[in-house]
Amino acid sequence: MTGLNINLNNKLDNKNIVIGITGGIAAYKTADLTRRLMEASADVRIVMTDAATEFVTPLTFQALSGHPVFFDNNDETSTSGMKHIELARWADAIIIAPASANTIAKLAHGRADNLLTTLCLASEAIKCFAPAMNRVMWDDLSTQTNCKTLLDKNWQQFGPASGSQACGEIGEGRMLEVDELLTSLEQCFSSGALQGINLVITAGPTFEAIDPVRFIGNRSSGRMGYAIATAAQEAGAKVTLISGPCHLPAPESVTLIAVESAEEMKQAVMSAIDNCQIYISTAAVSDYRVENIAQQKIKKTEDTMTLQLTKNDDIISLVAAHKLKPYVVGFAAETENLIENAKHKLQKKNLDMIVANNVSSKSDNETDIGFNSEYNALHVFWYSNDTEDQIIAEQQFDTARKLQLGTQLISLIAEQYNTRKSQETIQNAKNTA
Ligand code: PMT
C-alpha cells in the first residue's frame, strides 16, 4: 500500500476478553483460542465451570493467559481482587467456548448458580457462545429454544459446525475451529466508523436477455462488491446490497436485493436511494440491452444474425444527479489508460470518489486480479475538498485479497465521508451565524 497510511486494525488489540469454559471435550481447543487471543494482544481472563476442570486443567490456562484462572472453588478468585462483579465490568467481551447444553440452558433462564453464569448475568459486555455437544442434544427442542432465547437477549452464537463428534456420531454440534471463533469475535468489535449510515452497494454482472434462454453478460463474480458490503456492515453501516446474478452467499446482516438486468438494477437502486448516505457502484452494468427480446428460443436458421442494442441508463449518473445526492463512489474497470479514464469518469459522472482497477489480466507480481478473481489492486481518486478548485487526491492499494481491500477501501470512504460531513456542518454554522 502506498500514499496515506491506513492500518488494517487488529480489532482484538487491547480488548479485555473473558473466556468461559464449560464441560466438554472441545475444551482442548480453547487452549489454542487463549494463545491466539494473547497473540492478538488481547488481555485474557479464564473462568471455568467445575465440569470444565474435569476435561482440562486450570494450570494450562493459567500458563497460557498469564493470570490465575477463576473457578468456583479456588482461592485465587478472592486473593486476586477480581470478584465476579469486577470481572463483569472489566470485560469488553465474554466468549463461552465450549458452551455446553447445560450452561446454555442456565443462561437462557437467567440462572446464576456458579461464577460463570453469575458473571454473565452481571455483565453488559458483548456476550458470545460457541455451542459444543452431541448432535441429538443439539437438535433437542429445549436446546434450540434456549439458543433462540439467548439470541433474543443479544448474545452472539458462533456455530456449531457439522462433522464427526467425540462420541463417535456424525452430525451438527461440533465447536467451531479456533480461526472461525476468532473471526466471529473480531466481527463483534466493528470500527463504528459508519455507525448509523445507510449504504447502498451494487455488485456482480447484469444479464441482458436475448431470448428466454440466452443473455449478454460479463465476467464479474460479485466478489469485490460482496467484500465491500461485508466491510461496510462491520463498520456499523446498514447495508443494502443490490446484486446481479452471482453464486456468492449473502453476507450476514446485509439486505440483499437480487436483480438480473440493468433496468431491474436501476429500479432497485432508485427505490433505495432516498434514504441513503453512501452509494458504492461496483456492479459491472451492461451498457446496452437487446432492443427486441425474442419471446421464444431463437432457431439456428441463418448463417449470420444481427442483434439491435439500445443504450441502458447510466445508473450511477442518475444517483449523482439525485436531489438528495449521497456520497457517490464509482468503480472503473479499465484495460488501458487506467488513470486518465478513471479521472475522466470521476468528472463526467459527477462522482465523489472513483476506484480504478486494471482488468487487463495480471498484477505486477503475476497474480490474477480484477474480474472473477479472489484478488484485486486498486487506485483510488477523490476530491479532497469542496472548494471551487477541486483537488484530486489519490491512494493506491497493492494486490491483495478482495476481502482485505474491502476493509481498506471502507476505511478510506468512511474517513472522506466523515470529513465531508464535518466540513458541511462547519459551513452551515458559518452561513447561519
Ligand atoms: O465482481 P468481481 O469479479 O469481483 O470483479 C470486480 C469488478 C472488476 C467488476 C469491479 O471491481 C469493477 O471494476 N466494477 C465496475 C465495472 C464497470 O462496469 O466499470 P465501468 O467503467 O463500465 O463503469 C463505471 C461506473 O459506472 C461503475 O461504477 C459502474 O457500476 C457504473 N455504471 C456503468 C454502466 C451503467 N449503465 N450504470 C452504471 O452505474
Side-chain angles (χ1 to χ4, degrees), residues 220-222 224 281-283 313 316 331 345 349 357 372 402:
S220 168
S221 63
M224 192 68 246
S281 183
T282 66
D313 284 332
I316 201 167
F331 267 69
K345 283 177 188 170
K349 299 192 183 208
N357 43 187
N372 201 16
K402 285 177 178 169

Side-chain angles (χ1 to χ4, degrees), residues 336-375:
E336 57 181 355
N337 302 330
L338 185 75
I339 295 173
E340 300 77 54
N341 289 342
K343 283 185 176 170
H344 177 68
K345 283 177 188 170
L346 178 70
Q347 275 164 336
K348 189 172 144 225
K349 299 192 183 208
N350 190 23
L351 313 180
D352 298 295
M353 180 182 278
I354 192 141
V355 184
N357 43 187
N358 184 341
V359 291
S360 58
S361 63
K362 298 195 185 288
S363 71
D364 295 346
N365 63 4
E366 290 298 294
T367 309
D368 262 328
I369 54 170
F371 277 103
N372 201 16
S373 160
E374 295 277 354
Y375 294 85

Side-chain angles (χ1 to χ4, degrees), residues 20-242:
I21 310 176
T22 72
I25 186 64
Y28 78 91
K29 292 188 196 172
T30 314
D32 196 29
L33 176 67
T34 308
R35 188 184 61 80
R36 297 279 301 279
L37 278 169
M38 299 293 293
E39 277 175 9
S41 302
D43 203 356
V44 178
R45 301 288 184 278
I46 306 287
V47 177
M48 296 175 80
T49 63
D50 285 348
T53 61
E54 305 278 324
F55 288 88
V56 278
T57 71
L59 201 55
T60 305
F61 288 94
Q62 174 164 339
L64 288 168
S65 69
H67 291 280
V69 170
F70 298 89
F71 51 99
D72 287 320
N73 298 314
N74 74 334
D75 291 338
E76 298 290 359
T77 309
S78 45
T79 53
S80 67
M82 273 265 207
K83 313 254 172 22
H84 69 271
I85 292 291
E86 286 168 60
L87 202 51
R89 288 187 188 142
W90 173 84
D92 293 313
I94 300 172
I95 173 169
I96 304 186
S100 65
N102 185 36
T103 295
I104 290 172
K106 288 188 199 178
L107 293 169
H109 293 91
R111 296 279 303 275
D113 65 346
N114 62 23
L115 181 62
L116 181 60
T117 50
T118 309
L119 159 71
C120 290
L121 198 59
S123 182
E124 290 176 330
I126 296 165
K127 288 178 233 170
C128 329
F129 67 111
M133 66 197 74
N134 160 273
R135 66 170 181 87
V136 183
M137 292 170 78
W138 171 248
D139 279 341
D140 189 271
L141 183 60
S142 327
T143 308
Q144 291 301 313
T145 310
N146 290 334
C147 287
K148 167 93 183 37
T149 305
L150 287 184
L151 293 179
D152 290 343
K153 292 183 181 182
N154 267 341
W155 279 74
Q156 308 286 322
Q157 182 182 320
F158 301 162
S162 271
S164 58
Q165 304 199 302
C167 54
E169 299 195 27
I170 294 178
E172 212 174 354
R174 276 171 65 92
M175 187 165 91
L176 290 188
E177 296 305 322
V178 171
D179 276 342
E180 296 167 308
L181 291 177
L182 282 170
T183 306
S184 304
L185 186 58
E186 249 190 331
Q187 284 168 356
C188 293
F189 294 103
S190 80
S191 71
L194 292 179
Q195 203 67 49
I197 297 294
N198 289 321
L199 185 147
V200 174
I201 176 160
T202 64
T206 61
F207 286 180
E208 307 302 323
I210 298 171
D211 67 15
V213 296
R214 302 178 180 97
F215 59 83
I216 300 171
N218 62 64
R219 295 180 199 283
S220 168
S221 63
R223 284 197 187 100
M224 192 68 246
Y226 278 56
I228 297 170
T230 303
Q233 190 272 330
E234 283 171 17
K238 191 165 174 296
V239 178
T240 302
L241 173 61
I242 299 171

